[in-house]
């Protein structure tokens, strides 16, 4: 167990809009990445941050109340670091969301 948390209702907290942000960069060095990590770590609306394989370099999941709030997050992100391409998609409907992990793959030998 890494930690115990309370699962809160995003709508009741007025952050019911989920935005998926895909980042592409033409800089693949550690210095650039550390700067990006520092910026993203300082933005509380970013709730997930992944380095990806394929044509997208980074994926962020952002929780905000509305498009104007997302625009403010976008400006924080893009005004502090050079990003080759940013693409944002707003979730229209949450069909499945869970924090539970599948347990069928547990290796008891570890």
């Amino acid at each position: 167990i890494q930690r115990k948390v309370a699962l809160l209702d995003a709508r009741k907290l007025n952050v019911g809009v989920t935005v998926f942000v895909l980042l592409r960069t033409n800089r693949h060095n550690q210095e650039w990445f550390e700067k990006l990590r520092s910026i993203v770590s300082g933005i509380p609306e970013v709730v997930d941050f992944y380095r990806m394989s394929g044509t997208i370099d980074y994926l962020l999941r952002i929780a905000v109340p509305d498009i104007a709030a997302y625009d403010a997050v976008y400006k924080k992100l893009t005004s502090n670091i050079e990003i080759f391409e940013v693409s944002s998609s707003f979730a229209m409907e949450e069909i499945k969301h869970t924090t539970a992990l599948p347990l069928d793959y547990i290796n008891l030998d570890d």
Side-chain angles (χ1 to χ4, degrees), residues 25-53:
T25 183
N26 54 8
R27 300 206 173 165
H28 296 279
N29 60 63
Q30 192 65 28
E31 180 182 338
W32 186 91
F33 170 72
E34 292 300 333
K35 184 174 181 182
L36 177 65
R37 182 190 343 223
S38 175
I39 291 166
V40 169
S41 295
I43 302 174
E45 294 88 349
V46 178
V47 294
D48 288 311
F49 176 37
Y50 298 94
R51 186 169 60 88
M52 306 295 290
S53 66

Side-chain angles (χ1 to χ4, degrees), residues 62-102:
I62 296 175
V64 290
D66 52 35
I67 293 172
Y70 169 66
D71 189 46
V73 170
Y74 173 87
K75 289 174 181 173
K76 284 182 202 174
L77 180 65
T78 59
S79 67
N80 292 304
I81 193 167
E82 183 181 329
I83 299 171
F84 178 70
E85 184 179 343
V86 179
S87 177
S88 305
S89 296
F90 293 84
M92 301 296 290
E93 178 182 12
E94 183 179 271
I95 297 167
K96 179 180 179 179
H97 172 73
T98 183
T99 60
L101 296 173

Side-chain angles (χ1 to χ4, degrees), residues 7-35:
L7 300 178
L8 305 175
D9 186 327
R11 288 187 180 92
K12 289 184 179 178
L13 295 173
N14 194 31
V15 289
V17 175
T18 299
V19 187
F20 294 95
V21 179
L22 303 126
L23 303 178
R24 290 183 59 213
T25 183
N26 54 8
R27 300 206 173 165
H28 296 279
N29 60 63
Q30 192 65 28
E31 180 182 338
W32 186 91
F33 170 72
E34 292 300 333
K35 184 174 181 182

